[in-house]
Amino acid sequence: MLDKVDIRWIEETDSTQDEVRRHLSDYDNMSVVAARLQTAGRGQRGNKWHARGGENLTFSMLLRFVGNGFPPLDVSGNFRITKAATLAVVEYLGKKGIGSLIKWPNDIYVRNKKICGMLVENTLEGGTITSSIVGIGLNVNQKDFPPQLVNPTSMAALTGESYDLHSELEILSRCLASSFRRLLGGGDISAADQEYESLLYRKGSFHEYSVGQEGTRVEGKIIGVTPDGLLILENRKGELYQFAFKEISYII
Ligand code: BTN
């Protein structure tokens, strides 16, 4: 099925996440708000999201789980949202001839460089998610980046091509909509679980990680992710450890 998505472009806003939240009742399930320029784009771990205006995709998609939206989603299933979004971006980049992997939980990497980041913000009632705002920052035409960004890349930097942001957003939004239907629609998601694991950046080989508030260096091998989204790492002795997002960072 072709998922035509309702996309609203705005010239400038602080953050598309906040723009959607401020006008939540105006938007249907899977509507998209995209900004040419964000003046206060937000990233994970309280970081800012840097993206030069007019050169990249910075947008948020609203997911509704009540009314005309998806079936109710228990908060314990919230990692499905991340899974669906990451799989969709990898699929989209594949259509553009760019092979990418998922750096757990939700960065998209091409080799050792980040091309896309996501921020998933859920609204809960009791233990149920009522809505989710999925914010995506995809580096598209920008070729030079501020020095504070550790390892950025973009579609243009990788392919040498220049992309029309409006048409690319239409294609990407369709990938997202069909992935959300697949993972949040109530059907069997075991194949998607396997796809997510098979696309994990650094899966199956030993690398260094920084763990805990002290940043202790450990060596480990990613072997998978738990259903609720914890990273499973194995040490050289074959012992398994699980980490939440804030407990571990990659040394790249
Ligand atoms: C990260 O990797 O740190 C997450 C970046 C998420 C950035 C996107 S851009 C669109 C949306 N609006 C925001 O303020 N943030 C997200």
Side-chain angles (χ1 to χ4, degrees), residues 15-17 38 41-44 49 59 107 114 117-118 135-137:
S15 153
T16 55
Q17 294 293 97
Q38 289 188 131
R42 293 189 281 110
Q44 297 166 78
W49 182 251
F59 67 97
D107 284 345
K114 178 164 168 170
M118 294 177 201
I136 298 188

Side-chain angles (χ1 to χ4, degrees), residues 131-148:
S131 67
S132 179
I133 304 174
V134 180
I136 298 188
L138 173 66
N139 298 332
V140 181
N141 289 323
Q142 187 167 344
K143 282 189 174 158
D144 56 295
F145 297 90
Q148 69 266 31

